[in-house]
Amino acid sequence: MAYPYLANPPPPDPDTVRQLREQADAARAASAARKAAERPARVTALGLGPPLRDIEAAADCPCGCHPRPTGGLHTGGATCPCQRTDAERHAVVRAPADNSQMKGMFARMARQEQDDFDAAQAAAVALGTTCTRYEGLFPLVITGVALGRAFYLRCRHEGWTLELAGADRPLDDPYTHDDPQALVIAGGTEGDLCTADSRRIDPDTAMAVIVT
């Protein structure tokens, strides 16, 4: 499948850049308003779940363990970091480097990141592109090459942008190279990169967004 408009994309004009920024700002504002409207129901649901030390903190916590049945991630939310006291948080930060809980958490994060990278690479092959990097959380960074042009997708604060290498250095990674000709050609909200039934970014969906 050919995407001729990606072969040499024109630079966005100032009005387009302004519109993209306004759309991203509007999307963030709409997301904040939606969360505020859903908060009372969320507090009620949390009250029906596993016992929590601080339901208000759980209502504002972005972790996917709230609200969930007992078990699974963070024991249904009861052991989520948002439920710790200030003293408990300080103790975790000051704990020795061999803290088994922290080591286990980082090991799980590393495994998840590798699984996502593997899935993104497989999706890229199926789409006729390559994925060279899929890492991080805040921001999430995805890089690769599509149709002979290096790309860099960055997702943070519930918004994402897609940047392409300039025509003079089409294979230079925009993430690691300072290319004044690199172009931001698309953007949107984090939900664009998630499956319909999940709030978590999906590698297959993200790669499909990049090439379309």
Side-chain angles (χ1 to χ4, degrees), residues 167-183:
D168 291 347
R169 297 186 294 178
L171 297 180
D172 280 0
D173 183 352
Y175 177 62
T176 58
H177 292 78
D178 183 15
D179 183 357
Q181 291 189 338
L183 303 172

Side-chain angles (χ1 to χ4, degrees), residues 65-134:
C65 67
H66 303 296
R68 292 285 179 86
T70 302
L73 181 63
H74 295 154
T75 322
T79 59
C80 182
C82 77
Q83 296 303 296
R84 294 174 181 155
T85 64
D86 289 342
E88 289 170 339
R89 292 190 185 96
H90 292 160
V92 170
V93 171
R94 295 169 180 169
D98 63 350
N99 181 290
S100 59
Q101 183 178 1
M102 294 294 290
K103 289 174 67 176
M105 181 186 69
F106 286 125
R108 289 191 297 273
M109 290 173 62
R111 287 195 299 270
Q112 184 64 65
E113 187 171 278
Q114 184 61 54
D115 289 346
D116 287 344
F117 185 30
D118 292 342
Q121 286 186 310
V125 170
L127 293 166
T129 64
T130 62
C131 177
T132 56
R133 182 183 290 104
Y134 189 109

